[in-house]
Amino acid sequence: MKKIIYNKYDKKLIAALPRAGFEGRIIVILSAGETEKAVDYLLSQPILGIDTETRPSFKKGLIYKVALLQVSTRHICFLFRLNHTGMTAALKRLLEDKKVPKIGLSLHDDINSLHKIADFKPGRFIDLQDHVREVGIEDLSLQKLYANLFGGKISKREQLSNWEADVLSDKQKKYASTDAWACIMLYDELQRLKQTGDYQLIKTAENVQANISKER
Protein backbone atom coordinates (compact mmCIF):
# COMPACT_ATOMS: atom_id res chain seq x y z
CA MET A 1 0.00 0.00 0.00
CA LYS A 2 1.40 3.37 -1.03
CA LYS A 3 2.13 6.06 1.52
CA ILE A 4 -0.48 8.82 1.57
CA ILE A 5 0.93 12.35 1.61
CA TYR A 6 -0.81 15.71 1.16
CA ASN A 7 0.16 18.75 -0.86
CA LYS A 8 -0.95 20.87 2.11
CA TYR A 9 -1.26 19.45 5.62
CA ASP A 10 -4.05 20.77 7.84
CA LYS A 11 -2.36 22.41 10.84
CA LYS A 12 -5.44 21.71 12.98
CA LEU A 13 -4.68 17.99 12.81
CA ILE A 14 -1.18 18.29 14.27
CA ALA A 15 -2.26 18.71 17.90
CA ALA A 16 -3.76 15.20 17.98
CA LEU A 17 -0.64 13.49 16.61
CA PRO A 18 1.80 11.60 18.88
CA ARG A 19 4.75 13.73 19.95
CA ALA A 20 8.01 13.15 18.11
CA GLY A 21 11.49 14.18 19.14
CA PHE A 22 15.18 13.42 19.10
CA GLU A 23 16.00 10.53 21.41
CA GLY A 24 19.77 10.40 20.89
CA ARG A 25 22.69 11.89 22.75
CA ILE A 26 22.93 15.68 23.10
CA ILE A 27 26.32 17.35 23.62
CA VAL A 28 26.49 21.05 24.51
CA ILE A 29 29.65 22.85 23.34
CA LEU A 30 30.49 25.86 25.49
CA SER A 31 34.13 26.66 24.77
CA ALA A 32 36.06 27.45 21.61
CA GLY A 33 38.49 24.62 22.39
CA GLU A 34 35.73 22.02 22.35
CA THR A 35 34.65 22.89 18.83
CA GLU A 36 37.68 21.29 17.15
CA LYS A 37 37.03 17.73 18.37
CA ALA A 38 33.28 18.06 17.77
CA VAL A 39 33.76 19.23 14.19
CA ASP A 40 36.25 16.43 13.49
CA TYR A 41 33.62 13.92 14.55
CA LEU A 42 30.81 15.57 12.58
CA LEU A 43 32.81 15.69 9.37
CA SER A 44 33.44 11.95 9.67
CA GLN A 45 29.71 11.30 9.31
CA PRO A 46 27.82 10.62 6.03
CA ILE A 47 25.09 13.23 6.55
CA LEU A 48 24.24 16.06 8.96
CA GLY A 49 21.16 18.02 9.94
CA ILE A 50 21.66 21.70 10.74
CA ASP A 51 19.69 24.58 12.24
CA THR A 52 20.18 27.75 14.32
CA GLU A 53 18.42 29.50 17.17
CA THR A 54 18.40 33.19 18.04
CA ARG A 55 17.18 34.93 21.17
CA PRO A 56 13.81 36.48 20.32
CA SER A 57 13.46 40.24 20.51
CA PHE A 58 10.29 41.85 21.76
CA LYS A 59 11.49 45.42 21.22
CA LYS A 60 11.32 47.17 17.88
CA GLY A 61 14.75 47.64 16.33
CA LEU A 62 16.50 45.23 18.71
CA ILE A 63 17.91 42.20 16.92
CA TYR A 64 20.16 39.64 18.57
CA LYS A 65 22.88 37.62 16.88
CA VAL A 66 22.40 33.88 16.40
CA ALA A 67 23.13 32.17 19.72
CA LEU A 68 23.03 28.46 18.89
CA LEU A 69 24.15 26.27 16.02
CA GLN A 70 22.81 22.76 16.26
CA VAL A 71 24.35 20.05 14.08
CA SER A 72 23.05 16.50 14.30
CA THR A 73 23.88 13.04 13.03
CA ARG A 74 21.18 10.39 13.18
CA HIS A 75 22.14 9.59 16.78
CA ILE A 76 24.16 12.47 18.28
CA CYS A 77 23.45 16.21 18.22
CA PHE A 78 25.99 18.89 19.07
CA LEU A 79 24.70 22.23 20.34
CA PHE A 80 27.32 24.92 19.70
CA ARG A 81 26.57 27.90 21.94
CA LEU A 82 27.92 30.57 19.62
CA ASN A 83 27.37 33.33 22.19
CA HIS A 84 30.08 31.54 24.21
CA THR A 85 32.36 30.03 21.56
CA GLY A 86 32.20 32.60 18.79
CA MET A 87 32.84 31.50 15.22
CA THR A 88 35.98 29.40 15.59
CA ALA A 89 38.24 28.15 12.80
CA ALA A 90 36.78 24.66 13.35
CA LEU A 91 33.21 25.88 12.92
CA LYS A 92 34.17 27.73 9.75
CA ARG A 93 35.71 24.48 8.51
CA LEU A 94 32.42 22.73 9.19
CA LEU A 95 30.34 25.34 7.38
CA GLU A 96 32.71 25.51 4.41
CA ASP A 97 33.05 21.73 4.03
CA LYS A 98 32.08 20.57 0.53
CA LYS A 99 31.90 16.81 1.12
CA VAL A 100 29.37 16.06 3.86
CA PRO A 101 25.79 17.09 2.96
CA LYS A 102 24.30 19.42 5.58
CA ILE A 103 20.52 19.31 5.46
CA GLY A 104 18.39 22.21 6.67
CA LEU A 105 15.19 24.12 6.14
CA SER A 106 15.12 27.71 4.95
CA LEU A 107 18.91 27.67 4.98
CA HIS A 108 19.17 31.11 3.42
CA ASP A 109 18.03 32.62 6.72
CA ASP A 110 20.40 30.50 8.81
CA ILE A 111 23.40 31.27 6.62
CA ASN A 112 22.62 34.98 6.66
CA SER A 113 22.43 34.91 10.47
CA LEU A 114 25.76 33.09 10.72
CA HIS A 115 27.35 35.56 8.30
CA LYS A 116 26.62 38.33 10.82
CA ILE A 117 29.05 36.62 13.19
CA ALA A 118 31.83 35.83 10.69
CA ASP A 119 32.46 35.60 6.98
CA PHE A 120 32.64 32.16 5.38
CA LYS A 121 31.94 30.47 2.06
CA PRO A 122 29.00 28.03 2.45
CA GLY A 123 29.93 24.47 1.57
CA ARG A 124 27.59 21.59 0.77
CA PHE A 125 24.18 22.66 2.06
CA ILE A 126 20.89 21.09 0.94
CA ASP A 127 17.64 22.93 1.63
CA LEU A 128 14.60 20.72 2.12
CA GLN A 129 12.43 23.45 0.66
CA ASP A 130 14.08 22.78 -2.71
CA HIS A 131 13.08 19.10 -2.58
CA VAL A 132 9.57 18.83 -1.13
CA ARG A 133 8.00 20.20 -4.29
CA GLU A 134 9.45 17.27 -6.24
CA VAL A 135 6.85 15.01 -4.60
CA GLY A 136 4.09 17.64 -4.78
CA ILE A 137 4.24 18.97 -1.21
CA GLU A 138 3.66 22.71 -0.94
CA ASP A 139 4.15 23.18 2.81
CA LEU A 140 7.52 24.58 3.87
CA SER A 141 7.45 24.41 7.68
CA LEU A 142 9.26 21.67 9.58
CA GLN A 143 6.26 20.92 11.77
CA LYS A 144 3.89 20.40 8.83
CA LEU A 145 6.42 18.41 6.83
CA TYR A 146 7.11 16.04 9.71
CA ALA A 147 3.40 15.57 10.40
CA ASN A 148 2.76 14.91 6.71
CA LEU A 149 5.57 12.40 6.17
CA PHE A 150 5.74 10.69 9.57
CA GLY A 151 2.43 11.37 11.34
CA GLY A 152 4.19 12.89 14.36
CA LYS A 153 4.03 16.23 16.16
CA ILE A 154 7.15 18.31 16.69
CA SER A 155 6.53 20.80 19.49
CA LYS A 156 7.46 24.45 18.82
CA ARG A 157 6.95 25.66 22.41
CA GLU A 158 10.59 26.52 23.03
CA GLN A 159 11.07 28.48 19.81
CA LEU A 160 10.69 31.86 21.49
CA SER A 161 12.62 31.00 24.65
CA ASN A 162 15.86 32.72 25.67
CA TRP A 163 18.66 31.06 23.69
CA GLU A 164 21.25 33.19 25.48
CA ALA A 165 20.27 31.88 28.93
CA ASP A 166 23.21 30.95 31.19
CA VAL A 167 22.11 27.32 31.08
CA LEU A 168 19.85 25.83 28.43
CA SER A 169 16.93 23.85 29.84
CA ASP A 170 16.38 20.21 28.94
CA LYS A 171 13.34 21.28 26.93
CA GLN A 172 15.41 23.79 24.96
CA LYS A 173 18.09 21.19 24.24
CA LYS A 174 15.51 18.65 23.10
CA TYR A 175 13.76 21.22 20.88
CA ALA A 176 16.99 22.37 19.22
CA SER A 177 18.25 18.83 18.66
CA THR A 178 14.92 17.70 17.25
CA ASP A 179 14.90 20.44 14.63
CA ALA A 180 18.34 19.47 13.31
CA TRP A 181 17.76 15.71 13.50
CA ALA A 182 14.35 15.95 11.81
CA CYS A 183 15.97 17.50 8.74
CA ILE A 184 17.91 14.27 8.16
CA MET A 185 14.81 12.15 8.67
CA LEU A 186 12.79 14.24 6.22
CA TYR A 187 15.55 14.23 3.61
CA ASP A 188 15.95 10.45 3.83
CA GLU A 189 12.22 9.92 3.43
CA LEU A 190 11.89 12.35 0.53
CA GLN A 191 14.74 10.59 -1.25
CA ARG A 192 13.09 7.21 -0.65
CA LEU A 193 9.74 8.40 -1.99
CA LYS A 194 11.31 9.91 -5.10
CA GLN A 195 13.34 6.80 -5.84
CA THR A 196 10.57 4.28 -5.24
CA GLY A 197 7.45 6.25 -6.20
CA ASP A 198 5.89 4.59 -3.17
CA TYR A 199 3.42 7.38 -2.40
CA GLN A 200 0.06 8.80 -3.37
CA LEU A 201 -0.32 12.56 -3.31
CA ILE A 202 -3.69 13.84 -2.14
CA LYS A 203 -4.39 17.44 -3.04
CA THR A 204 -6.28 19.49 -0.49
CA ALA A 205 -9.17 20.17 -2.85
CA GLU A 206 -9.46 16.46 -3.64
CA ASN A 207 -9.42 15.62 0.06
CA VAL A 208 -12.23 18.06 0.80
CA GLN A 209 -14.22 16.68 -2.12
CA ALA A 210 -13.72 13.14 -0.83
CA ASN A 211 -15.11 14.12 2.57
CA ILE A 212 -18.12 15.77 0.95
CA SER A 213 -18.77 12.63 -1.06
CA LYS A 214 -18.67 10.48 2.08
CA GLU A 215 -21.17 12.75 3.82
CA ARG A 216 -23.56 12.31 0.92
Side-chain angles (χ1 to χ4, degrees):
M1 185 175 179
K2 291 190 175 183
K3 185 170 195 171
I4 301 295
I5 60 175
Y6 301 90
N7 68 321
K8 292 184 179 181
Y9 196 87
D10 188 346
K11 191 174 183 179
K12 296 175 184 176
L13 301 176
I14 295 177
L17 297 176
R19 180 167 291 190
F22 180 66
E23 300 295 341
R25 184 182 177 193
I26 300 172
I27 300 175
V28 179
I29 303 297
L30 286 165
S31 69
E34 293 175 295
T35 63
E36 186 75 34
K37 191 174 181 180
V39 168
D40 284 345
Y41 174 78
L42 287 167
L43 291 181
S44 73
Q45 300 302 300
I47 190 170
L48 300 172
I50 192 166
D51 194 19
T52 65
E53 303 298 340
T54 302
R55 179 180 177 178
S57 172
F58 302 104
K59 293 183 180 179
K60 188 176 180 179
L62 178 62
I63 300 174
Y64 294 100
K65 289 184 178 180
V66 60
L68 188 73
L69 170 66
Q70 55 263 46
V71 187
S72 183
T73 70
R74 291 185 174 90
H75 306 289
I76 302 177
C77 186
F78 289 84
L79 304 182
F80 297 95
R81 300 207 64 188
L82 297 179
N83 54 318
H84 290 275
T85 68
M87 182 63 77
T88 67
L91 286 172
K92 284 186 69 174
R93 179 161 58 92
L94 172 69
L95 296 171
E96 292 184 338
D97 169 75
K98 295 181 179 180
K99 293 182 180 179
V100 182
K102 288 162 278 291
I103 317 301
L105 192 72
S106 189
L107 281 170
H108 181 267
D109 295 336
D110 291 317
I111 291 172
N112 277 348
S113 296
L114 291 166
H115 270 148
K116 292 177 182 177
I117 298 178
D119 189 37
F120 63 92
K121 294 181 179 179
R124 189 178 177 186
F125 287 90
I126 297 175
D127 197 323
L128 288 170
Q129 292 185 348
D130 295 332
H131 290 267
V132 294
R133 292 183 179 89
E134 294 174 4
V135 295
I137 295 176
E138 298 175 38
D139 291 320
L140 299 178
S141 77
L142 185 74
Q143 191 180 49
K144 282 188 176 183
L145 289 174
Y146 198 91
N148 196 352
L149 292 176
F150 295 111
K153 175 180 66 176
I154 290 180
S155 173
K156 306 302 287 184
R157 285 185 180 180
E158 301 304 315
Q159 187 174 27
L160 296 179
S161 59
N162 182 10
W163 294 102
E164 293 183 8
D166 290 338
V167 178
L168 294 180
S169 69
D170 288 343
K171 288 183 179 180
Q172 283 180 304
K173 288 187 281 188
K174 175 100 173 195
Y175 169 89
S177 300
T178 296
D179 275 10
W181 162 81
C183 288
I184 299 178
M185 299 299 104
L186 288 168
Y187 180 76
D188 283 347
E189 183 64 1
L190 285 168
Q191 292 299 103
R192 185 187 75 82
L193 294 178
K194 285 190 292 183
Q195 289 170 8
T196 64
D198 183 29
Y199 67 94
Q200 179 183 350
L201 179 70
I202 305 295
K203 293 189 176 181
T204 305
E206 293 177 357
N207 193 35
V208 171
Q209 187 61 47
N211 290 333
I212 293 172
S213 297
K214 287 180 182 178
E215 290 173 2
R216 289 176 179 173

